[in-house]
Amino acid sequence: MAPPPPRRTSQDTAASDPRRLLRQQESLREVIESISCQLELRPLLTRIVHHACELLDAHDGTIGLFDEERNVIRTEAAFRMPPGEIGAEMPPGVGLAGEVLLRRGPVLLERYDKLRSMTLPEYADHAVIGLPISWHGRLIGFFGVGARPPRRFDPRDVEILTLFARHAAIAIENARQYQRESQRTERLALIARIGRVIAAGLDLDSLLQNAVDVIHDLLGYPNIAIGLVEAPATETLRIRAVGGHYRKPIAGDPPLYVAGGIMGAAVGEGRPILVNDVESDPRYLPAPGVQGIRAVLAIPITLGNRVLGVLDVESGGRFTVEDSESLQIIADHLAVAITNARLFEHAGRLAALEERQRLARDLHDSITQLVFSASLLSQSIAPAWRRDPVEGERLAERVVELTRASLVEMRGLLHELRPAESEAGEAAARGALSSIELLERDGLATTLRAGARSATGHLALNLDLERYRPQSLKLEASLYRMFQEALHNVLKHARATSVKIELASEDHRVVLSVADDGVGFDPERLSNGGGPKPNLGLRHMRERAEALGGTLTVRSVPGRGTTILAVVPAAGAST
């Protein structure tokens, strides 16, 4: 739509009006086409103010954007203006931009010095137009153009600039949207990178420190801290990692605990808290040695309904909703990473505990039994020697064998606690093999046969091992320890004259049975805590069987002997 014809003034002759109108219309069309293809905001604003001055035969001009929160107009681009004009901020009533901001409408003056507050006295005799740039009824910016005498502006110039401002508003909003999307894309890429860094670690302290360092380096926040909830009932936080400017005054100091403050409020309320003026918020607790803080953004680190801690960012500038959204994504990554790190720590402690329990069982089921047998035999050496020196010498040799065997077993267990360098060399240096090494070399049936014949001594021994098929070393080691403990109980408690040992593979399972004809006991009374003290060896055997997915059954009747029956899945069988 063509603009209405300009009014005639003393500066325009009748002959010049048509030419000026055509020139402005053609220039306006070219200008609109020019600015519509520019998406970078700063070059766009520079192009707009340049075209505006050409369109109106103006000498100079500025364009500024409105900061609604602070109620100022900040100059973003200029044409033929003094150095330093870009970046100037005008509140209401100051300068031409401030006058437009105050009136929220156009300002047309024959001389600049007629303003209530000039900022550039050297332009006092210039004619000026100040015009708001609006988008859907909302002020987004400001046009200001000036002309040296004798050029003077008229309402027709205001109409032309107003029409241009409408198209400029569209271009500015498009460029702002493009800028926001570009920044969002860039920030999401950085956040994804931060997420990968966070997820890469399982040591909690290293993970948290890497997180604050990468947030500082990639997103540019000056002060960062992560606090974890130490006492949920009191919402007390312990600062576990600091980044940016915090590192100098806080790092290396004693642990810093926070109860309350903006960080505590984020924990208590379970939501992000953004404060852009900390001086007006009584919850703000200044960090020791840190100055110049204007804004704080605290994001709770939550997993489900549980608050694990807080990601706290402080700055001398202001935070936006986009900052809060970005840090919320990072906090979500942190919540998962912290939980994984804690689970990893717990798994490590559990693995160490299980390993200690395994070693305790092995010590009990092998070395303790050998030492007990050696002790028992040593007590009978003197009486036997008095009766028959040959028998006494045989018992003494047996004690030596048992003590050597216990030493070999102990060295074998100690060797498991060290990194394996040369197992063959270690075994050769020891001059003997432990029971586990014998299992690995000879298999369960052969090792069990040798162990049974060596340990039973005076007992009548009945072995049934022909139906057994070899299994994995782990399974065979557990079965051998159960055999050792069952046989040890026979020797220590049963007062038996014979023992029968069966080992068989049948129907995808392995069955181990140790039966004696000794004094027996009441299993029900023992399990209920009555009578003798509960047997630690029985508990160990049951734990080993259950760890393999099997069961341990104790069958005993007072005066009629005892049978220990272990049934476990064979290697490769489903439980």
Side-chain angles (χ1 to χ4, degrees):
M1 174 180 175
R7 296 179 182 177
R8 295 180 180 272
T9 68
S10 59
Q11 300 165 16
D12 295 316
T13 65
S16 66
D17 281 348
R19 291 193 300 270
R20 179 184 175 195
L21 177 59
L22 289 174
R23 186 176 69 250
Q24 286 181 334
Q25 289 176 337
E26 181 62 23
S27 298
L28 184 59
R29 182 184 62 78
E30 293 175 356
V31 164
I32 291 171
E33 291 178 356
S34 173
I35 66 175
S36 63
C37 62
Q38 177 59 255
L39 290 176
E40 295 291 341
L41 184 59
R42 181 58 62 84
L44 171 68
L45 296 176
T46 300
R47 183 177 294 183
I48 287 175
V49 70
H50 191 173
H51 284 314
C53 291
E54 289 183 341
L55 191 63
L56 297 181
D57 292 328
H59 176 266
D60 49 64
T62 61
I63 187 169
L65 297 180
F66 178 48
D67 185 337
E68 185 174 5
E69 189 173 359
R70 299 174 58 215
N71 197 32
V72 297
I73 290 178
R74 186 179 189 275
T75 303
E76 298 291 346
F79 179 67
R80 292 178 181 171
M81 296 296 290
E85 185 67 15
I86 294 178
E89 294 183 347
M90 302 297 171
V94 177
L96 183 59
E99 189 67 22
V100 170
L101 181 58
L102 187 66
R103 297 187 188 184
R104 297 298 175 103
V107 175
L108 174 63
L109 297 173
E110 291 186 358
R111 291 179 57 93
Y112 178 59
D113 59 7
K114 292 186 179 295
L115 277 174
R116 68 184 75 191
S117 173
M118 283 193 305
T119 58
L120 298 171
E122 61 269 36
Y123 291 98
D125 61 346
H126 284 209
V128 294
I129 297 177
L131 193 71
I133 303 174
S134 299
W135 176 254
H136 292 307
R138 178 174 56 88
L139 180 66
I140 64 170
F142 153 84
F143 260 138
V145 295
R148 294 173 176 175
R151 175 80 167 98
R152 291 291 181 261
F153 298 118
D154 59 28
R156 176 64 184 169
D157 295 311
V158 175
E159 291 176 5
I160 291 293
L161 192 58
T162 299
L163 180 60
F164 181 47
R166 294 173 189 165
H167 292 279
I170 297 172
I172 290 171
E173 280 303 300
N174 287 341
R176 278 180 159 178
Q177 183 65 27
Y178 175 78
Q179 184 180 58
R180 285 191 292 267
E181 290 302 320
S182 297
Q183 291 174 346
R184 182 179 179 84
T185 301
E186 180 181 358
R187 178 158 289 203
L188 286 175
L190 292 176
I191 289 170
R193 182 176 170 187
I194 293 171
R196 290 193 295 272
V197 171
I198 291 172
L202 285 173
D203 175 73
L204 183 57
D205 288 326
S206 298
L207 181 155
L208 297 175
Q209 191 58 55
N210 286 341
V212 296
D213 288 343
V214 76
I215 291 170
H216 172 69
D217 294 340
L218 296 183
L219 295 182
Y221 296 116
N223 304 324
I224 306 116
I226 294 177
L228 298 186
V229 175
E230 294 284 327
T234 60
E235 297 173 359
T236 299
L237 296 160
R238 179 183 175 185
I239 305 302
R240 296 288 295 268
V242 293
H245 299 159
Y246 275 160
R247 300 197 69 165
K248 186 175 181 180
I250 296 179
D253 289 346
L256 179 62
Y257 293 90
V258 177
I262 294 175
M263 294 178 72
V267 171
E269 298 178 24
R271 65 177 181 85
I273 294 182
L274 191 159
V275 178
N276 273 327
D277 182 10
V278 296
E279 293 183 358
S280 65
D281 196 314
R283 298 173 298 180
Y284 176 63
L285 301 175
V290 178
Q291 299 178 346
I293 299 302
R294 177 183 177 185
V296 174
L297 177 55
I299 308 291
I301 302 170
T302 61
L303 190 67
N305 295 324
R306 183 185 174 197
V307 180
L308 306 178
V310 173
L311 171 60
D312 180 76
V313 181
E314 298 188 356
S315 175
R318 301 175 67 81
F319 292 117
T320 65
V321 174
E322 286 77 12
D323 291 307
S324 180
E325 292 174 349
S326 298
L327 290 175
Q328 183 64 67
I329 296 173
I330 295 173
D332 292 341
H333 282 289
L334 275 171
V336 176
I338 290 169
T339 301
N340 287 342
R342 285 176 167 171
L343 288 174
F344 181 76
E345 288 179 355
H346 177 71
R349 290 192 297 269
L350 184 61
L353 177 61
E354 290 177 348
E355 181 65 8
R356 287 197 295 269
Q357 291 174 338
R358 183 190 70 80
L359 289 172
R361 287 194 298 266
D362 287 350
L363 284 168
H364 177 273
D365 297 347
S366 58
I367 297 170
T368 300
Q369 296 169 7
L370 291 170
V371 172
F372 172 79
S373 297
S375 175
L376 194 63
L377 286 176
S378 65
Q379 296 173 28
S380 63
I381 289 177
W385 201 286
R386 285 193 292 268
R387 292 192 306 270
D388 182 357
V390 175
E391 176 65 15
E393 186 175 351
R394 188 186 69 79
L395 291 177
E397 291 176 353
R398 178 62 182 148
V399 169
V400 171
E401 291 175 0
L402 289 172
T403 55
R404 285 177 177 170
S406 64
L407 183 59
V408 169
E409 289 294 323
M410 177 62 77
R411 285 175 175 168
L413 290 175
L414 291 175
H415 181 65
E416 292 183 34
L417 300 177
R418 299 196 304 269
E421 297 176 357
S422 174
E423 296 183 1
E426 287 282 343
R430 294 196 300 268
L433 298 177
S434 68
S435 57
I436 300 301
E437 291 166 332
L438 287 171
L439 280 171
E440 189 170 13
R441 188 190 70 181
D442 301 331
L444 177 58
T446 300
T447 305
L448 190 149
R449 180 180 289 107
R453 289 175 175 172
S454 173
T456 51
H458 65 283
L459 291 179
L461 180 62
N462 183 356
L463 291 174
D464 181 1
L465 312 177
E466 302 304 321
R467 293 173 294 148
Y468 175 73
R469 295 189 300 276
Q471 305 294 316
S472 68
L473 179 61
K474 177 182 177 182
L475 189 149
E476 292 197 338
S478 294
L479 288 170
Y480 186 75
R481 294 304 188 202
M482 285 188 274
F483 149 75
Q484 283 182 305
E485 177 58 31
L487 188 58
H488 172 72
N489 285 342
V490 171
L491 297 173
K492 184 176 181 180
H493 303 294
R495 301 199 294 274
T497 60
S498 67
V499 60
K500 181 178 182 180
I501 301 171
E502 294 182 76
L503 180 65
S505 301
E506 55 183 40
D507 298 331
H508 303 295
R509 62 181 186 169
V510 178
V511 178
L512 171 67
S513 173
V514 179
D516 66 72
D517 61 354
V519 296
F521 62 94
D522 183 358
E524 186 68 24
R525 187 163 173 255
L526 185 64
S527 63
N528 291 333
K533 185 177 180 180
N535 188 279
L536 181 62
L538 287 176
R539 189 182 76 187
H540 285 176
M541 285 190 286
R542 183 165 284 110
E543 288 175 353
R544 290 184 187 278
E546 291 174 352
L548 295 172
T551 60
L552 183 85
T553 304
V554 180
R555 300 170 184 165
S556 184
V557 176
R560 298 176 60 181
T562 301
T563 298
I564 303 294
L565 180 66
V567 180
V568 300
S574 59
T575 58

